[in-house]
Amino acid sequence: MSLSIKQRAQLRAKQIIVRIEYASGTVKCSTPSGERYYTASDLVQLAKPGFMDRLTAWMNQGVVS
């Protein structure tokens, strides 16, 4: 399972940078506290936008810059 660009962007916003995806489903990431290993399924769950992310996106729909 490989992470989509959108999922990677969501993780990057949470300061989790994907470095290497292994075939076993393990993913090596860089975080502010150092390097960590996650399972791909855990990262998919972390990449889901939270309520405040959706609320902010909804509020910005009517804003014209």
Side-chain angles (χ1 to χ4, degrees):
M1 165 196 283
S2 89
L3 298 165
S4 70
I5 294 171
K6 184 175 181 179
Q7 289 169 325
R8 287 173 180 260
Q10 286 287 342
L11 292 168
R12 204 171 23 258
K14 295 178 182 181
Q15 297 183 339
I16 301 172
I17 297 146
V18 175
R19 296 293 179 201
I20 301 171
E21 290 186 56
Y22 297 103
S24 64
T26 304
V27 183
K28 182 178 180 180
C29 299
S30 294
T31 65
S33 61
E35 288 188 347
R36 291 197 54 185
Y37 289 89
Y38 294 93
T39 63
S41 57
D42 286 344
L43 288 178
V44 168
Q45 293 301 315
L46 284 171
K48 289 183 179 177
F51 172 75
M52 292 307 292
D53 296 329
R54 292 191 304 269
L55 177 64
T56 304
W58 175 77
M59 290 171 50
N60 289 333
Q61 282 180 343
V63 177
V64 178
S65 22

